[in-house]
Amino acid sequence: MANTEFGYVRNFEQRDALPPSNWIVVRIDGRGFTKLCKKYDFQKPNDKRALDLMNASATEVVKQFVDVVLAYGQSDEYSFILHENAGMFERRASKLATSISTAFTAEYCMQWPTFFPDQPLERPFPTFDGRCVAYPKRRILRDYLSWRQADCHINNLYNTTFWNMVLKGGMSTTAAEHALKGTVSSDKNEILFSQFGINYNNEPLIYRKGTVIFRAYDTESEVNGGSTTGKMPDPTSKSQMEKAKKRKQKARIAVEHVDIIGPSFWDAHPYILGTNTAKGSTE
Amino acid sequence: MANTEFGYVRNFEQRDALPPSNWIVVRIDGRGFTKLCKKYDFQKPNDKRALDLMNASATEVVKQFVDVVLAYGQSDEYSFILHENAGMFERRASKLATSISTAFTAEYCMQWPTFFPDQPLERPFPTFDGRCVAYPKRRILRDYLSWRQADCHINNLYNTTFWNMVLKGGMSTTAAEHALKGTVSSDKNEILFSQFGINYNNEPLIYRKGTVIFRAYDTESEVNGGSTTGKMPDPTSKSQMEKAKKRKQKARIAVEHVDIIGPSFWDAHPYILGTNTAKGSTE
Amino acid sequence: MANTEFGYVRNFEQRDALPPSNWIVVRIDGRGFTKLCKKYDFQKPNDKRALDLMNASATEVVKQFVDVVLAYGQSDEYSFILHENAGMFERRASKLATSISTAFTAEYCMQWPTFFPDQPLERPFPTFDGRCVAYPKRRILRDYLSWRQADCHINNLYNTTFWNMVLKGGMSTTAAEHALKGTVSSDKNEILFSQFGINYNNEPLIYRKGTVIFRAYDTESEVNGGSTTGKMPDPTSKSQMEKAKKRKQKARIAVEHVDIIGPSFWDAHPYILGTNTAKGSTE
Amino acid sequence: MANTEFGYVRNFEQRDALPPSNWIVVRIDGRGFTKLCKKYDFQKPNDKRALDLMNASATEVVKQFVDVVLAYGQSDEYSFILHENAGMFERRASKLATSISTAFTAEYCMQWPTFFPDQPLERPFPTFDGRCVAYPKRRILRDYLSWRQADCHINNLYNTTFWNMVLKGGMSTTAAEHALKGTVSSDKNEILFSQFGINYNNEPLIYRKGTVIFRAYDTESEVNGGSTTGKMPDPTSKSQMEKAKKRKQKARIAVEHVDIIGPSFWDAHPYILGTNTAKGSTE
């Protein structure tokens, strides 16, 4: 950029690098999706096409940003998890948030015709806001992901019950809302089963659990190859980082609808949140 | 969002509201546009279609975000200026940066076929990163805009000379680069004129000045109607803010290629950076 | 500092420079002064010795930190104003806040025996917390100072009335508190006058207005000599900055109890918040 | 504070709470201590009285701030470590930094006569700047402390050699500086031993290791009693927090000159950095 008499204005730019050794979550949320759902007549309580579009878009984002170790999505939101040692964009919050949210938006708009072939997009086009949050411990990052998946469950159970009452039960939305006020999970399960013959636990996993996307390493050698090399990215071994990047680019992208609150998923894929550090491996 | 045992993770979200009474610049930049230019064979030194696409996208963003008082673009970048009293998204930096950059990205991707009908977009789709900067004084904001327009001029003069030497003069890019090293503006003007018969000052304004987009109020009543009401947005007069918003939405969007370094443009449109404050109008 | 294998921990230090071209307020507040007042039996509603000690301490701080253009104090608080162009400690918030608050604390403790000769200080020793706030406009800085002086007035009027009712009127503190609930300024003035024969406007200015401390330039040449040279401190003219520093160190320190809400004080001392900038002098 | 028309200026105060679940270091440094050392004729390479004064001051600070779990000092600096779950001042950086640095400064000034009975303090009085740094992992906090202790060792070995060469060896400071350029630790050990008959390892521990201050719990019940109760301070059990506070206030304050780089110290006092969390105890 030109170094003129006006160049001093650069001094007003604030540094916004996220602190090292923190897991970074970039969460994006659909902007004004309530209107969008109505406009394109999304099915209630879940529109499979819309979820598939979210997941297809997120898959491309995970492919493109190799520092993303896992993504979790539900409804019109997606959380992209960057490794605590990730060095992408020098961990600058605004670069991370805008790069990931614009990449997601571009995919969503461009892939729309594949999932909604009969409904061309009109203005305002779908967009997503985004933000970064830093989590200092693996355990707390796990709690973050549990928080989102618990949210998915609670909302889906409510919505499934609500829309069955309205669409099959013939209730007004106001009446259904009123009827559900104060109910707990078991109440909703009971309503679904007794009134509509629905066993909630048989509902599709994609609705109940949301979607988990990650690089899957199917053999031991892939995992070891993919290891990071220490508590701080080693700037001297650029060749090693290049190798790691290529391996990540070639990795299979897994898209699953599984529980990530309990330990099973993490025990089966220890490399996702793994850190090969010389010391401090217990932290 | 669900208020479960995991809800504590929200406490890690940091507030990022920009300070009040500062002009906000959201600048977006094309990511990896050097590759993109090559892939879609953009013309050198300027590709009119690409600039028109940038401007068409920015126009829609200005329409959509009524707190934007002016936008300035050149090359693959655009700066959106929010009024120092703007209250959009409670001035949260990440919301502002991601909302504007995803809106721009969506427009760019969706309008692409209009400007490049024979070249369908392929992955990686064009995206834009973004950032917010706060400027405490109108005078410094003006310097920011001057900085960008001076940058436009310097780059365009260089590029125009360089590509004439290469494309018309038959020089290699290395030779042209070498020949231009250490030259000043008058040298480049001379090369253009003596070797290629080009008077730089006759080059199209869009290339030399970039593009300015703003809401144009053509009558006095429009201007007064559009006034903000004080140094802090008055939360009590929601109806007035609604009115102002509607008026902004109806305003004509002007797209011009003019000098914004000197005072003429600003003298002709005093309302763009105007603030109707009870006191302190000189600051 | 040692550059060992542990040196990476420095990367966790966050930059905290305050934005350029903003007026900086460092406000310090006595910690736990309610207890301190009781312990050393401060007089009610105002203890002249305690205020004199605050002012004597602040005077030394103003002398020591030449970038402070004015200080305003009342009760157990003091606000130190740094010029919008001040470069001290590269405008780092933590350096500014801790340097000024520890300098004030040291003065307060060391000068204590002068003002309270019969009451040696005991643990916990008096301390002051501090914080920095950036104000983007001179007008808003003025409003900040008005805010503090209005606070001084409101509290002093209340306290003067309250303690007269208790000490002279023989009311219990609870009764006095109850009696004053919901009263406005004129009510309190009336109580003071009719019940205790006190014309509030004749109360000492130090109680009603607080204390203003500033470098006084009594001749025109002093003022011009003390001018800063542009919108950004010019790093090339170190000699000029050195000269300015010396002149500030020699300046007379004025300690006054005057109104700073109205324009008179500022009109009489235009250099205090003055900025000699080539352009933008109106902002 | 008065809620007047000026109250809006409060909106310019930025929140500066440090992120939860991070260890907080408040490090203070003597301001201008090179001059101070000369003025009061501190002994070289170490002045025992000055170090004792630093340690006596830090001891009082540790007593006063019960959220401090450990303090480490050397030369004219001290680092106060707050537990990762500490809630003091809502973890606001400026409150923490200024409260601790003013408390330290007050102690240093007030205790000065005890350690330097013949040299009354003169202006400028000793002060200390301070800053907060957040460390996301216990392991990294340990590295921070190792960094400071390694720094102590390196500086002390250099200074001990340098001042022996000057004071006993009769070299000029310039000659000694020149002679030491490029030497490694073993070279300095050799110089000390062969030229001055000094075995560096027999030098006092306070000089070689610095000073560690912590609350010592000598029995198991004290430790358990002192436990925090979970990953987030439980706001519902105020009584428990009060109890913990009282126990901390009664605890013996240990002042030791020991190695804290290796594991022995930490193994012997596991409660210092201990966290009783229901889950995630390994992190």
Side-chain angles (χ1 to χ4, degrees), chain A residues 97-112:
Chain A
T98 56
S99 296
I100 285 181
S101 57
T102 57
F104 192 93
T105 297
E107 290 291 340
Y108 194 93
C109 290
M110 298 299 288
Q111 295 196 50
W112 175 273

Side-chain angles (χ1 to χ4, degrees), chain A residues 107-179:
Chain A
E107 290 291 340
Y108 194 93
C109 290
M110 298 299 288
Q111 295 196 50
W112 175 273
T114 309
F115 296 90
F116 294 90
D118 304 328
Q119 292 173 291
L121 273 180
E122 284 165 22
R123 271 197 194 90
F125 300 128
T127 56
F128 296 82
D129 58 34
R131 72 208 48 74
C132 294
V133 188
Y135 288 105
K137 313 273 202 294
R138 187 179 294 116
R139 159 179 69 80
I140 301 175
L141 173 72
R142 285 278 310 276
D143 282 350
Y144 170 82
L145 290 165
S146 298
W147 177 52
R148 300 321 305 140
Q149 192 167 55
D151 185 76
C152 174
H153 165 70
I154 289 164
N155 289 339
N156 189 59
L157 176 56
Y158 181 92
N159 290 337
T160 305
T161 315
F162 178 86
W163 285 106
N164 270 289
M165 292 164 85
V166 171
L167 298 176
K168 294 193 193 159
M171 289 173 84
S172 71
T173 53
T174 320
E177 206 183 320
H178 189 74

Side-chain angles (χ1 to χ4, degrees), chain B residues 106-228:
Chain B
E107 290 291 340
Y108 195 93
C109 290
M110 298 300 289
Q111 295 197 50
W112 174 273
T114 308
F115 296 90
F116 294 90
D118 303 329
Q119 292 172 290
L121 273 180
E122 283 165 23
R123 274 201 192 88
F125 300 129
T127 55
F128 296 82
D129 58 34
R131 71 207 49 73
C132 294
V133 187
Y135 288 105
K137 313 273 202 294
R138 188 179 294 115
R139 157 178 71 79
I140 302 175
L141 174 71
R142 285 276 310 275
D143 282 350
Y144 170 82
L145 290 166
S146 298
W147 178 52
R148 300 321 306 139
Q149 193 167 54
D151 185 76
C152 173
H153 164 70
I154 289 164
N155 290 339
N156 189 58
L157 177 56
Y158 182 93
N159 290 336
T160 304
T161 315
F162 178 86
W163 286 106
N164 270 288
M165 291 163 87
V166 171
L167 299 176
K168 294 192 195 161
M171 289 173 83
S172 72
T173 53
T174 320
E177 205 182 321
H178 189 74
L180 287 173
K181 196 160 273 175
T183 58
V184 295
S185 291
S186 55
D187 300 329
K188 298 191 193 76
N189 276 306
E190 180 58 25
I191 293 171
L192 280 174
F193 191 71
S194 61
Q195 297 184 22
F196 306 105
I198 290 172
N199 184 337
Y200 181 72
N201 289 327
N202 294 338
E203 288 293 288
L205 279 164
I206 186 174
Y207 302 154
R208 289 190 291 127
K209 297 297 178 192
T211 302
V212 184
I213 304 178
F214 59 100
R215 280 186 179 71
Y217 298 110
D218 302 316
T219 69
E220 188 62 25
S221 77
E222 286 179 346
V223 175
N224 288 343
S227 75
T228 58

Side-chain angles (χ1 to χ4, degrees), chain D residues 229-245:
Chain D
T229 55
K231 63 194 162 187
M232 289 286 118
D234 183 357
T236 59
S237 69
K238 270 205 169 167
S239 65
Q240 248 184 314
M241 282 171 68
E242 269 309 304
K243 264 188 213 167
K245 191 178 166 184

Side-chain angles (χ1 to χ4, degrees), chain D residues 139-205:
Chain D
R139 159 178 69 79
I140 301 175
L141 173 72
R142 285 275 311 275
D143 283 349
Y144 169 82
L145 289 166
S146 298
W147 178 52
R148 300 321 306 140
Q149 193 167 55
D151 185 76
C152 174
H153 164 69
I154 290 165
N155 289 339
N156 189 58
L157 177 55
Y158 182 93
N159 291 337
T160 304
T161 315
F162 177 87
W163 287 106
N164 270 289
M165 291 164 85
V166 170
L167 298 176
K168 295 192 195 159
M171 289 173 83
S172 71
T173 53
T174 318
E177 205 183 322
H178 189 73
L180 286 173
K181 197 160 272 177
T183 58
V184 296
S185 290
S186 55
D187 299 329
K188 299 190 192 76
N189 275 305
E190 180 59 23
I191 292 170
L192 282 174
F193 191 72
S194 62
Q195 298 185 21
F196 306 103
I198 291 171
N199 183 339
Y200 181 72
N201 290 326
N202 294 340
E203 288 292 289
L205 278 165

